[in-house]
Amino acid sequence: TCGDGVEMAKELARGGLDIDPTRKARELLNAYIVRCTPPRFVRCTSRTGWHGNIFVLHDDVIGQLDSEDVFLQSERDETMGMVQAGTAADWREQVARLAAGNSRLVFTLSLAFAAPLAELANESGGFHLIGTSSAGKSTALEAAASVWGNTADYGYKWRATSNGLEGLCASRNDLLVILDELAQVDPREAGESAYLIANGQGKARASRNGTMRTPARWRVLLLSAGEISLTQHMQEAGKQSRAGQEIRLIDIAAESGAGLGLFDTLHGMESGAALSQAIKAACQRQHGTAGRAFLQQLVQQRDAVATLIRDARASFLAEDVPPSASGQVVRAASRFALVAVAGEIATTWGLTGWQEGEAMAAAVRLFNEWLSGRGGAGDAETRE
């Protein structure tokens, strides 16, 4: 407002205000803005996710501050597939019902619900589904995406620059990030990309005058998929993965071992392919509603949920983790436990239709499979 007001006028015009193009009109507009004393204020943020006890989405704010409204204000198109179709009740009956009895689907849907709980649990990182092209990985990714938005637009490919991944994570703060086809990312950069996403901070960069710009920050949970693991992909470029990278992106076999690919049960359908098609079709009809219904409950019970997470993680570590487990295994177990408790909370709130304990059982099963595939509960460096 101390200049000629051109930039302010441009921004208002971009937002739809019809402004007279004359200089006098701009000067009057500038004077009006400077002297205006509004009766109320709004808080603008460029970041989705938690802001105190409210949760900001791309097109909505869940919860409300007592004294002011909050708006998401960004130069980018932040919707990125976060749209709604159908109802939460229909999503439960058409999508979540078909996941019941299938450990991988129960786990990935629970992971989607766990994303906004990550801040309460001080958790970050993700899980990587490994399997052949016909194992059903895309079905699991689309089902998880349907919790938050349109399956065609919500997920992305690993093939991206570090800047692109930073932008994606920043736009999904406190939400689920879905990345498919790990093999498409440069194997020389794959490990650092995993670190970047899990550590929640972009690269430090200089501004035009040489001072350091504030790096982008975020907290997300990641669901990834590919035909090879992060370790295998890095080895293609002659790079050795580190234990920290493996823990940040935990491998899960896409095939359940029942001879049905991803599935343990077919819910009366003739084949895994038929069930996969049914789930994908249901996700196209029903999406984006379950996550918002989850947030509506969460903002009202945030403190109670934080206590529940703490107790459930302690129980998981006491009952399902070997007493001699290394710190790496304990960190991984804590993430499995968060996914389990998220699925159980969603079930308690009537969003999944699953039996009580099903999400916990799926998480325990996959944790034990991961522990067995890893070669035990000791340090990865000692194992190598």
Side-chain angles (χ1 to χ4, degrees), residues 302-361:
R302 177 184 164 103
D303 292 341
V305 168
T307 300
L308 185 59
I309 292 171
R310 184 181 65 249
D311 294 345
R313 291 173 97 175
S315 177
F316 192 101
L317 294 175
E319 297 177 9
D320 300 294
V321 179
S324 60
S326 68
Q328 298 163 1
V329 171
V330 171
R331 284 182 59 191
S334 293
R335 195 177 312 148
F336 276 100
L338 176 62
V339 174
V341 71
E344 293 299 328
I345 290 171
T347 298
T348 300
W349 290 345
L351 299 176
T352 67
W354 304 334
Q355 294 293 319
E356 180 182 350
E358 181 156 14
M360 180 62 72

Side-chain angles (χ1 to χ4, degrees), residues 45 47-58 82 111-124 147-148 154 168-177 197 200 217-222 291 294-295 298 302 338:
T45 178
R47 186 170 58 90
T48 61
W50 289 107
H51 294 267
N53 290 324
I54 67 169
F55 198 98
V56 176
L57 292 173
H58 306 87
M82 290 197 65
L111 176 60
F113 287 117
L117 303 182
E119 184 196 64
L120 282 64
N122 192 29
E123 185 61 76
S124 62
V147 173
W148 295 108
Y154 188 91
L168 173 60
C169 291
S171 72
R172 291 277 195 262
N173 182 57
D174 287 327
L175 293 165
L176 180 69
V177 168
I197 295 171
R217 297 180 184 273
W218 59 82
R219 185 187 297 275
V220 299
L221 292 184
L222 170 65
F294 186 81
L295 289 176
L298 181 57
R302 177 184 164 103
L338 176 62

Side-chain angles (χ1 to χ4, degrees), residues 88-110 136 139-140 142-144 146 256 260-286 351-355 358 362:
D90 287 339
W91 180 87
R92 179 187 64 222
E93 296 304 316
Q94 297 181 33
V95 178
R97 180 182 63 83
L98 295 178
N102 290 298
S103 57
R104 272 69 181 161
L105 284 176
V106 167
F107 186 82
T108 52
L109 289 180
S110 298
T139 303
E142 290 190 27
S146 73
S256 70
L260 302 172
L262 179 77
F263 306 111
D264 300 289
T265 180
L266 298 181
H267 289 285
M269 298 194 183
E270 60 185 16
S271 65
L275 178 56
S276 178
Q277 291 173 3
I279 291 172
K280 290 183 177 182
C283 289
Q284 291 177 2
R285 297 189 302 269
Q286 308 292 336
L351 299 176
T352 67
W354 304 334
Q355 294 293 319
E358 181 156 14

